[in-house]
Amino acid sequence: MSVGEVCKEIESRSPRFVESLRKLVKQPSVSAKGTGLAECADLVKEMMAEAGIEAELIGVEGAPPFVYGEALAGKPGARTIIFYNHYDVQPPEPLELWSSDPFAAEVRGGKMFGRGVSDNKADIVSRINLVKVFLDSGGLPCNVKFVIEGEEEIGSPHMPALVERHAERLKADACIWESGGLDEKDRPEITLGMKGILYVELLSRVANRDAHSSLGAAVANPAWRLVWALSKIKGEDERILVPGWYEDVRPFTEKELEALEKMPMEEELIKADLGVEEFLLGASGMELKRALVGGPTATICGFQSGYAGPGSKTVLPSTASAKLDFRLVPDQKPGKLLKALESHLAHQGFGDIKIVPLSQEEASRTSLDEEIVHCASEAASRTYGRDAVIKVSSAGSGPMYLFTNRLKIPSVCVGCTHAFENAHAPDENLRLDVFIKGTEWVARTLDLFGKRDP
Ligand SMILES: [Zn+2]
């Protein structure tokens, strides 16, 4: 059966696709609270088995089960694509802001609403069901593997162990990552990488308890100490002041710069959406794109100390803490930067401030020359009748580096989500037309990848 016919079959089975998505969304799987994870893993495994995919659960101590699956193309020398997804979801709170129960998977106006529907259950259902369509229509164009974890939303703490222990089984010629889909103007968008992250908490403690603020004349204030320490981390010009921070930053290639030039950026839309007058340092155009796609950042995510309730309270706090995330770009090493941050603060006279690392991930970036990138963009043109936007990297982070940097598998985001999906927010939703079209996009990508000579 031709891939065109496979796509027709996907369309004719769309009610079944929607039904199985509804079933998966109705199974809560909140990793932050540990609810429903084992049940959800079982359900995903069952869906795979029903689709003719050989499925099993892989255990890693302390983690909810990983679901692993394999289906073969049935022709010798076939290449392999691995799908990475996650079945866990963010907590649905605040519940009062949802228009319907977050686990009811209600369909209204061509969209399904529910926690996790687009992040990332639609991709799971789309990919499992499309394998079934291929298998029912004469066979897969290439071998496929699935690895689906249950802790992505809490930073994938056990993915490194899985990749280390099962490197051989996870081997593939290319990886199709979670997410990917249509941008704000319904252009298909292919993302080729992710930023890394170093997340730390800084703690300043002085006295053994809070005291009367008249003692501010005599006893150090941890909140001031922390503010001064923070001011040594980033300057007002947005440059990170830690020595060596930019040393390993990999510059953009010529092709990446070309892709950046072509990448549309809805600056006005983003500003209006956030209610901001201008971007940092007044940046726009290429400058802004370079920063978002390939610029290291230092962000204070939260600051806590003393009294911040109604009215006034004259108190000298005993502790202060701040949470910071540093987004990293290819070749920056989080472990090395953590050490650099520690010695910088010590040199600046802030050795008393404790630095607690909370998470570390390297950045990943797949080359524009990779076969899978060509296949995904050609498949986008054939599916949507318009050229795909190539995004050199997401401004966000994820465990993609385990595939690109450790397993050396080029990875791309191609999928069935859309820009206004409200991921992580109330009324998360999925456009059902994009669900089906995105499935066809992945089907065509597999088809092209299977046909090309390595
Ligand atoms: Zn998410």
Side-chain angles (χ1 to χ4, degrees):
M1 205 185 254
S2 74
V3 72
E5 286 164 316
V6 165
C7 289
K8 278 205 191 89
E9 187 59 24
I10 291 170
E11 268 163 45
S12 77
R13 291 191 196 181
S14 63
R16 268 189 268 171
F17 274 62
V18 173
E19 246 351 276
S20 78
L21 178 59
R22 190 194 302 265
K23 201 170 160 192
L24 193 58
V25 173
K26 281 186 162 181
Q27 171 59 56
S29 50
V30 184
S31 47
K33 304 179 191 172
T35 41
L37 296 173
E39 291 85 345
C40 197
D42 283 338
L43 182 55
V44 171
K45 183 186 153 201
E46 196 183 294
M47 283 179 164
M48 280 190 190
E50 274 168 22
I53 299 162
E54 205 162 317
E56 65 178 291
L57 301 181
I58 300 181
V60 169
E61 210 189 325
F66 287 85
V67 191
Y68 177 80
E70 260 185 56
L72 297 177
K75 58 177 182 193
R79 290 193 290 170
T80 303
I81 282 191
I82 188 163
F83 293 116
Y84 163 84
N85 292 94
H86 61 92
Y87 60 78
D88 65 319
V89 304
Q90 287 279 333
E93 285 80 6
L95 297 175
E96 64 279 12
L97 296 183
W98 283 81
S99 313
S100 53
D101 180 333
F103 297 107
E106 218 179 90
V107 174
R108 302 190 297 273
K111 293 174 181 173
M112 187 182 286
F113 290 80
R115 171 54 82 230
V117 64
S118 79
D119 182 14
N120 172 241
K121 289 180 172 175
D123 277 340
I124 295 178
V125 171
S126 154
R127 292 164 185 191
I128 291 175
N129 281 283
L130 100 86
V131 168
K132 177 156 175 56
V133 174
F134 270 120
L135 292 175
D136 292 348
S137 321
L140 279 158
C142 54
N143 305 323
V144 295
K145 292 179 176 178
F146 286 84
V147 58
I148 308 184
E149 66 158 317
E151 290 182 310
E152 194 274 343
E153 302 292 9
I154 54 167
S156 306
H158 294 93
M159 270 303 284
L162 179 89
V163 166
E164 196 174 304
R165 275 178 229 172
H166 298 276
E168 201 52 40
R169 298 174 90 181
L170 300 177
K171 258 191 173 168
D173 300 291
C175 169
I176 295 183
W177 200 250
E178 65 147 329
S179 79
L182 299 186
D183 73 0
E184 295 84 353
K185 299 227 165 132
D186 276 4
R187 289 168 292 226
E189 186 178 71
I190 303 170
T191 305
L192 305 187
M194 294 183 135
K195 281 187 176 175
I197 195 166
L198 168 63
Y199 200 115
V200 298
E201 181 166 20
L202 301 189
L203 297 166
S204 172
R205 169 177 283 277
V206 177
N208 60 7
R209 60 185 162 79
D210 289 0
H212 194 288
S213 73
S214 60
L215 277 166
V219 176
N221 182 325
W224 273 117
R225 289 212 52 75
L226 197 51
V227 167
W228 292 325
L230 289 170
S231 75
K232 304 290 182 201
I233 292 176
K234 189 170 91 168
E236 286 177 41
D237 60 355
E238 297 294 330
R239 283 288 289 186
I240 296 166
L241 302 169
V242 179
W245 201 266
Y246 297 93
E247 203 174 86
D248 296 329
V249 169
R250 189 199 301 170
F252 287 119
T253 64
E254 282 303 312
K255 278 194 181 164
E256 285 170 349
L257 286 172
E258 266 168 46
L260 268 189
E261 288 276 5
K262 277 195 225 152
M263 181 180 89
M265 174 101 195
E266 305 302 333
E267 295 184 20
E268 295 313 313
L269 215 84
I270 301 170
K271 281 194 270 190
D273 183 42
L274 291 173
V276 297
E277 296 276 311
E278 59 166 28
F279 292 112
L280 269 185
L281 306 172
S284 73
M286 268 305 265
E287 199 188 342
L288 182 65
K289 292 192 230 176
R290 288 180 86 120
L292 273 169
V293 169
T297 65
T299 301
I300 299 175
C301 302
F303 190 104
Q304 219 167 17
S305 187
Y307 181 75
S312 58
K313 179 187 180 190
T314 45
V315 65
L316 174 65
S318 58
T319 61
S321 65
K323 297 205 176 195
L324 275 85
D325 82 40
F326 298 91
R327 301 277 171 178
L328 312 177
V329 303
D331 297 343
Q332 285 189 301
K333 296 276 179 289
K336 182 177 167 189
L337 295 179
L338 175 63
K339 285 205 183 87
L341 175 67
E342 283 164 349
S343 68
H344 174 62
L345 285 185
H347 271 114
Q348 298 290 325
F350 295 98
D352 57 313
I353 288 177
K354 199 171 157 196
I355 303 177
V356 185
L358 297 177
S359 64
Q360 303 180 38
E361 276 174 349
E362 288 168 28
S364 55
R365 191 174 294 169
T366 287
S367 160
L368 278 141
D369 295 325
E370 287 292 344
E371 191 72 48
I372 188 69
V373 180
H374 299 307
C375 294
S377 26
E378 198 174 323
S381 313
R382 292 186 191 182
T383 307
Y384 292 102
R386 61 194 300 183
D387 283 348
V389 169
I390 305 282
K391 214 166 148 186
V392 172
S393 172
S394 155
S397 307
M400 191 192 262
Y401 75 98
L402 292 168
F403 287 71
T404 55
N405 306 7
R406 297 284 180 283
L407 300 169
K408 308 287 178 207
I409 304 175
S411 306
V412 296
C413 301
V414 175
C416 51
T417 57
H418 64 104
F420 303 105
E421 61 188 16
N422 288 346
H424 295 209
D427 279 350
E428 179 176 349
N429 67 86
L430 176 82
R431 264 170 57 188
L432 296 177
D433 61 327
V434 184
F435 180 41
I436 299 306
K437 271 285 169 208
T439 305
E440 294 178 30
W441 182 12
V442 177
R444 287 185 186 277
T445 304
L446 294 191
D447 181 64
L448 289 167
F449 193 73
K451 273 185 196 153
R452 297 220 185 171
D453 288 329

